[in-house]
Amino acid sequence: TTHLQPSQKLHLYQRVHLAVVTIEIISVRRGNPVITEEEFPEWVLSSAYGFGEHSTEARKIQIRGTTELGRTFGAFNNGKIVGTASTHSLEMTIPGGVLGLAYVDWVAVLPIHRRKGIFTKLTKHQFNDIRDHCEAIAGLTASESSIYGRFG
């Protein structure tokens, strides 16, 4: 029988614990509204934490004033919001008319939940929503532009 030293036991525990964390079920809800008014304060906090920021009550009110709940997505783990995304309905004037423009915003995943496909799931939901709204153009201001290349 092999006896483990205390530090080896801790390392083994950490590896087993990490394996358990990686199989947690992350779900992305879709509907109308996706994020309810009651969930919105938690959604704002999760988004802020995902960007490494803090949020104040004044900032929550400001964000709520520009957010369409029916186009606001959340990724959930054990009932907690761990990923966020939102789309704003805008218009773009072009020669001969106006086109609908989907402005992608607030795409963030909490640091301990990254590298699990949450960003990809949220983006796919946004693309479906943009298609459902018949918007020919989508735009965003990316804080990390390199992560968006795979989406076109």
Side-chain angles (χ1 to χ4, degrees), residues 72-100:
T72 302
F73 307 94
F76 293 81
N77 181 30
N78 295 324
K80 299 290 183 191
I81 298 172
V82 298
T84 63
S86 185
T87 307
H88 304 284
S89 303
L90 302 177
E91 292 182 335
M92 181 175 177
T93 303
I94 61 168
V98 175
L99 283 179

Side-chain angles (χ1 to χ4, degrees), residues 47 49-53 104 107-111 114-115 119 123 140-152:
S47 186
Y49 294 156
F51 283 108
E53 300 173 355
V104 174
V107 182
V109 177
L110 293 179
R114 292 181 183 157
R115 311 292 303 160
F119 173 86
T123 301
L140 75 149
T141 303
S143 58
E144 293 183 50
S145 60
S146 62
I147 63 178
Y148 288 93
R150 63 183 166 210
F151 297 106

Side-chain angles (χ1 to χ4, degrees), residues 26 31 40 43 46-48 50 58 71 78 81 85 95-96 100 112-113 131-133 135-137 140:
I26 306 291
F40 190 76
W43 183 90
S46 292
S47 186
R71 303 190 78 182
N78 295 324
I81 298 172
I112 63 170
H113 291 281
R131 183 198 62 229
D132 293 348
H133 282 82
E135 292 163 322
I137 301 171
L140 75 149

